[in-house]
Amino acid sequence: MRRPFVAGNWKMNLTLAQGKALAAAIAADCPAGDSVDVALCPASPYLLPVKDAIAGSGVQLGAQNAYFAAPGAFTGEIALDMLLDVGCQWVILGHSERRQFFGDTDALINKKLIAARQKGLGVIFCVGELLAERQENRTEAVLETQMAGGLADVDAAMFEGVVIAYEPVWAIGTGVTASPEQAEAAHLYLRNWVRSHYNNAAADQLRIQYGGSVKPDNAAELLSQPNVDGALVGGASLKPEQFLPIIQAARGIVK
Ligand code: PEP
C-alpha cells in the first residue's frame, strides 16, 4: 500500500511573513492522521518558522538541498545534522535546478543521498529528462543514468526512505504538463527499474511523485494513473487556493 505524498517546493520564493501565512493555511487543512502525506519545503531561513506554523498538524517539513559532509568548514552549505536539528523529515535532492545551475552531478547527488539516508532523513530524489532528450527518444536512457548514478551503493534498506520525483525538465515552471500517459510511462519505467535493481517489495512500496506544472485542474487525472503516487509541486504550492485542491485530489488514493 502506498500513501499519496504531495510536497510543495517553494524554491527561492516568498517573504518570511508570506511563508508563515502560507504554512499556517496549509496546516489548517491538513490534520494529523490525514490520508495523504504533505510536506512543505521552504528556503532554509524559513525552516524554523514554518516548523512552528505547522506544529500539531499533519504537515511535514522538508529542505531543498543539503551538503553531504559533517558540520565544518563549508561556507554557504547546510549540513544534514542541521536539517534534523530544525525538524526536517525530508530533503529534496537532484532537483533539475540544482543539476542545471549549481553543478549537482549524479555523483554528488549520490553522496548527498547516502549521507541523508545514513542520518535517517527521507529523500525526495528528483530525476527527469530535458526536452531535447525526450525529442530524441532518450528519456529512458536519461532516467537509467540518473537512477544508476544517484542510487549507486544504495542498498535496499537504505532505499526504503527514498521517494522518487519524476520531473521532466521541460514541464517544470513552464505551464506545460506531461500528459497522464507520458507520466505513467515514465513512472512505470522507474518502478520497473527499482524492481530489477532491488526487489519486488521495494518496487511495490516505492512512492513516485510527478512534478512539472501540476495545477488544481490537472492533478486528479495525473494522480489517477496507476504508478503516480503523489506530486512535487513548485509554483502552485505558493498559493493555498492552488495547493490545497491538489492535496485534496490526492486524498483517498491508495495504490
Ligand atoms: C518543481 O520545481 O519541482 C516543480 C515541479 O515546479 P512547477 O510545479 O512550478 O513546475
Side-chain angles (χ1 to χ4, degrees), residues 9 11 95 97 167 171-174 211-215 232-236:
N9 172 15
K11 313 194 188 194
H95 192 280
E97 287 150 17
E167 298 209 309
I172 295 179
T174 58
S213 298
V214 176
K215 306 280 182 233
L232 180 56
V233 185

Side-chain angles (χ1 to χ4, degrees), residues 68-104:
F68 61 83
F74 299 98
T75 302
E77 291 295 328
I78 298 172
L80 292 154
D81 288 319
M82 296 169 182
L83 297 185
L84 290 166
D85 206 12
V86 298
C88 286
Q89 289 115 308
W90 296 98
V91 61
I92 299 172
L93 295 177
H95 192 280
S96 64
E97 287 150 17
R98 300 287 326 164
R99 293 177 188 262
Q100 272 184 290
F101 306 133
F102 303 102
D104 280 23

Side-chain angles (χ1 to χ4, degrees), residues 109-119 150 152-154 158:
I109 294 161
N110 178 243
K111 282 186 174 179
K112 293 179 177 186
L113 191 149
I114 289 174
R117 290 304 305 128
Q118 283 173 341
K119 293 281 179 189
D153 300 324
V154 174
M158 204 183 266

